[in-house]
């Protein structure tokens, strides 16, 4: 896995949030499937999750290869391409926005091109960080099957991420299987079993509450005797 720090990136254009955010980005070749665990998945094979919207111009949701996009590659041959629906921005922009903030995000970026860019958005839809395919090591040459240009990109941010904006001046920016997480345990997949340490803390808390109740009962008993 490749990992690097984009660092603190200040807004430089009108309408961009002035707040700085420390953003860490890592990438893993051919990791098409969204992670398991607590989080919200947007895979374009189903209706958008509650609270999410997709808007823009010059984009479509499609599958397969054509002159408006190539299916992201999950391996070095065409047979391992993404056979599900994916998002292709072929000459414009697409904005995937949620109604709550997340501190981590990952998505599969297919055949990264030098004319692709990704914006992270705050609660008002303002851009607070932008990065290019060239910010991913060895990315940006548009290879439709190469491991360096077909990767799951994982992002963490000190500022909450409410959405992403994909931009491309030519065919295409292909992306699939977004995974939003890190908003305090309130994600859609909320049935996770607590870790043993969490159970221990919960039991200690219940014990403390029980002891306080018993102590209060004894105090009341002594006062009325």
């Amino acid at each position: 896995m490749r990992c690097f720090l984009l660092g603190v990136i200040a807004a430089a254009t009108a309408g961009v949030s002035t707040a700085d955010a420390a953003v860490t980005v890592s990438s893993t070749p051919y990791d098409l499937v969204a992670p398991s665990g607590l989080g919200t998945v947007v895979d374009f094979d189903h209706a958008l999750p509650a609270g999410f919207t997709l808007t823009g111009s010059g984009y479509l949701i499609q599958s397969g290869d054509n002159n408006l996009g190539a299916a992201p590659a999950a391996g070095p041959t065409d047979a391992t391409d993404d056979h599900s629906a994916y998002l292709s921005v072929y000459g414009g922009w697409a904005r995937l926005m949620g109604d709550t903030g997340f501190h981590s995000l990952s998505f599969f970026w297919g055949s990264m091109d030098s004319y692709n860019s990704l914006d992270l958005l705050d609660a008002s839809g303002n851009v607070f960080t932008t990065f290019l395919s060239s910010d991913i090591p060895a990315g940006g040459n548009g290879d439709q099957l190469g491991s360096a240009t077909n990767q799951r990109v994982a992002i963490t941010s000190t500022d909450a991420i409410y959405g992403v904006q994909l931009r491309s001046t030519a065919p295409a920016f292909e992306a699939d299987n977004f995974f939003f997480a890190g908003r305090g345990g309130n994600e859609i997949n909320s049935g996770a079993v607590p870790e043993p340490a969490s159970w221990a803390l919960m039991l200690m808390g219940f014990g403390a509450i029980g002891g306080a109740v018993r102590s209060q009962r004894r105090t009341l008993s002594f006062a009325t005797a």
Side-chain angles (χ1 to χ4, degrees), residues 2 15 21 37 48-49 52 67 71 82 85 110 112 144 172 176 191 210 215-216:
R2 303 179 179 90
L48 293 175
F52 278 83
N67 61 349
D82 182 0
M112 301 175 187
Q144 293 184 5
D176 200 3
S215 176
Q216 184 180 30

Side-chain angles (χ1 to χ4, degrees), residues 65-158:
D65 301 338
N66 53 43
N67 61 349
L68 297 180
T77 68
D78 289 330
T80 53
D81 281 356
D82 182 0
H83 297 290
S84 66
Y86 64 91
L87 175 65
S88 178
V89 181
Y90 56 84
W93 58 279
R95 175 174 289 198
L96 179 62
M97 194 79 180
D99 61 4
T100 190
F102 298 85
H103 287 282
S104 66
L105 155 72
S106 75
F107 71 102
F108 194 80
W109 191 341
S111 57
M112 301 175 187
D113 288 294
S114 59
Y115 41 78
N116 298 161
S117 59
L118 180 79
D119 304 318
L120 303 184
L121 308 176
D122 65 15
S124 300
N126 295 320
V127 177
F128 67 85
T129 297
T130 297
F131 62 92
L132 310 175
S133 61
S134 57
D135 292 319
I136 309 300
N141 66 9
D143 187 344
Q144 293 184 5
L145 294 175
S147 61
T149 52
N150 290 273
Q151 302 196 32
R152 172 159 296 276
V153 177
I155 301 166
T156 61
S157 172
T158 54

Side-chain angles (χ1 to χ4, degrees), residues 123-204:
S124 300
N126 295 320
V127 177
F128 67 85
T129 297
T130 297
F131 62 92
L132 310 175
S133 61
S134 57
D135 292 319
I136 309 300
N141 66 9
D143 187 344
Q144 293 184 5
L145 294 175
S147 61
T149 52
N150 290 273
Q151 302 196 32
R152 172 159 296 276
V153 177
I155 301 166
T156 61
S157 172
T158 54
D159 285 1
I161 302 168
Y162 279 78
V164 292
Q165 183 170 258
L166 288 66
R167 294 183 284 119
S168 188
T169 57
F173 189 153
E174 299 96 341
D176 200 3
N177 296 337
F178 285 79
F179 183 76
F180 296 86
R183 61 178 176 118
N186 295 319
E187 288 87 356
I188 287 176
N189 300 330
S190 58
V193 177
E195 296 291 334
S198 299
W199 277 116
L201 289 173
M202 290 168 63
L203 292 173
M204 289 174 61

